[in-house]
Amino acid sequence: PVEVRVGLCDYNNQNLFLALVRDISERKEAERAQSRLAEIGELASMIVHEVRNPLTTVLMGLTSFKQMELSPRAVARLDLALDESQRLQRLLNEILLYAKEQRIESQTLELNELLKTLLETLQTMPTVCDRQIQFSPASSPIWVEGDRDKLKQVFINLVSNACEAVQPEEEIRWLLSHQPEKCQVEVSIQNGGDLISADVLPRLTQPFFTTKSSGNGLGLAITKRIVEAHQGHLTIESSEEIGTVVTVSLPCTIPECSSQEQLAEPPFPDFSLH
């Protein structure tokens, strides 16, 4: 396959045709690959919908058995069946979430305040409540264009992962910094848990790859898609010197009709969650 473009030009008082012919084999192959991926996504969504409906019926039936008088052995089997059914339901929901195109309902957000409010939400989570989170906000307001709920999902997931990687009472460092020369903001989450090997790091954001015994490998994949939908980047580093650090980089902005001087406020204090 080729693409041909023809134009008329004047050369030495002569009218000439200039034809440019380009081989577009690679472009066509990329288009076919993209089309196949779209078909796979639609198929995955259809399968998830078809499985979720009967699974809901199964869960309702299993839940009704909880009201009955059963032997200890039957209760143990019932609890196992419920746990596995609920795990399958969560997996189907996450597959559907990953397969869907990420639609961003954008609004102007101040990140210091957004992350500060998340500390209260995180305090109620079992994997977080007995860890220490040291949150260091930026010294001045930082504004981004983004989807509030989806950005909350990103940071709750990343902080939860960091907390699962360390022992109770150990510290998680959560830092917000401004990079004015790049017109971007960086949110980094650091933990001192077990290091991640260099061969595993690039695979962490791949769908269905996980190092957890109970994970399904979609949490970081969905997180990466959300960050990229915000025109941002997700990076993961792990070494003896820094521990494991996950960084989300987002483009920053200034709200319309406001100057940087008008937005300036006293520095935010540090907040710690214990």
Side-chain angles (χ1 to χ4, degrees):
V2 296
E3 176 184 82
V4 182
R5 298 190 178 195
V6 182
L8 183 65
C9 63
D10 182 18
Y11 181 74
N12 287 340
N13 296 321
Q14 289 183 309
N15 288 328
L16 301 178
F17 288 105
L18 176 64
L20 301 177
V21 182
R22 175 181 297 169
D23 183 349
I24 58 172
S25 300
E26 290 185 1
R27 184 201 302 175
K28 289 296 183 181
E29 183 60 34
E31 290 174 354
R32 285 192 290 269
Q34 187 173 9
S35 177
R36 287 194 295 270
L37 287 175
E39 291 174 358
I40 292 172
E42 293 177 2
L43 178 62
S45 298
M46 182 184 69
I47 292 174
V48 168
H49 281 298
E50 290 297 321
V51 174
R52 281 203 311 176
N53 291 335
L55 179 60
T56 300
T57 303
V58 170
L59 275 168
M60 291 174 60
L62 291 173
T63 303
S64 67
F65 284 128
K66 297 285 287 184
Q67 312 300 322
M68 300 174 59
E69 291 289 337
L70 301 172
S71 66
R73 185 173 183 179
V75 169
R77 289 182 174 180
L78 176 59
D79 288 341
L80 178 61
L82 276 169
D83 288 344
E84 290 299 295
S85 298
Q86 290 166 355
R87 185 171 69 87
L88 178 57
Q89 188 178 55
R90 290 193 298 271
L91 174 60
L92 293 174
N93 289 338
E94 291 194 359
I95 292 174
L96 189 60
L97 181 60
Y98 181 79
K100 282 184 177 179
E101 180 183 356
Q102 291 295 332
R103 299 186 181 276
I104 303 300
E105 296 183 6
S106 187
Q107 58 180 300
T108 302
L109 303 170
E110 204 289 301
L111 269 188
N112 281 297
E113 189 62 31
L114 176 66
L115 300 186
K116 176 185 171 183
T117 59
L118 280 182
L119 288 172
E120 300 175 2
T121 302
L122 288 163
Q123 193 173 16
T124 64
M125 299 178 63
T127 57
V128 179
C129 61
D130 57 354
R131 273 69 170 177
Q132 298 182 29
I133 300 179
Q134 183 66 34
F135 175 47
S136 300
S139 59
S140 61
I142 296 180
W143 303 87
V144 298
E145 292 291 330
D147 188 308
R148 178 182 294 272
D149 291 336
K150 282 186 166 56
L151 287 179
K152 282 185 176 182
Q153 180 183 346
V154 164
F155 296 120
I156 288 175
N157 184 44
L158 294 179
V159 173
S160 298
N161 285 348
C163 289
E164 291 176 0
V166 301
Q167 297 300 316
E169 304 303 325
E170 290 189 14
E171 184 179 86
I172 304 296
R173 295 188 60 81
W174 192 4
L175 174 66
L176 174 60
S177 61
H178 186 205
Q179 308 291 328
E181 68 282 357
K182 300 179 182 179
C183 196
Q184 70 177 21
V185 56
E186 291 186 351
V187 183
S188 60
I189 299 162
Q190 179 186 36
N191 74 78
D194 295 336
L195 298 182
I196 304 172
S197 62
D199 59 319
V200 170
L201 277 174
R203 304 177 62 192
L204 289 176
T205 55
Q206 294 178 2
F208 303 109
F209 178 83
T210 181
T211 57
K212 302 177 184 178
S213 58
S214 59
N216 55 42
L218 280 173
L220 279 177
I222 294 171
T223 296
K224 181 181 179 182
R225 290 197 65 189
I226 294 175
V227 171
E228 291 177 346
H230 283 80
Q231 309 303 312
H233 302 282
L234 177 70
T235 58
I236 306 175
E237 303 173 89
S238 190
S239 68
E240 291 283 355
E241 294 76 18
I242 62 173
T244 299
V245 180
V246 182
T247 303
V248 175
S249 301
L250 297 170
C252 57
T253 185
I254 298 177
E256 294 181 4
C257 304
S258 298
S259 66
Q260 186 67 38
E261 290 74 17
Q262 290 173 325
L263 293 173
E265 296 179 2
F268 287 82
D270 277 8
F271 296 93
S272 299
L273 172 62
H274 298 280

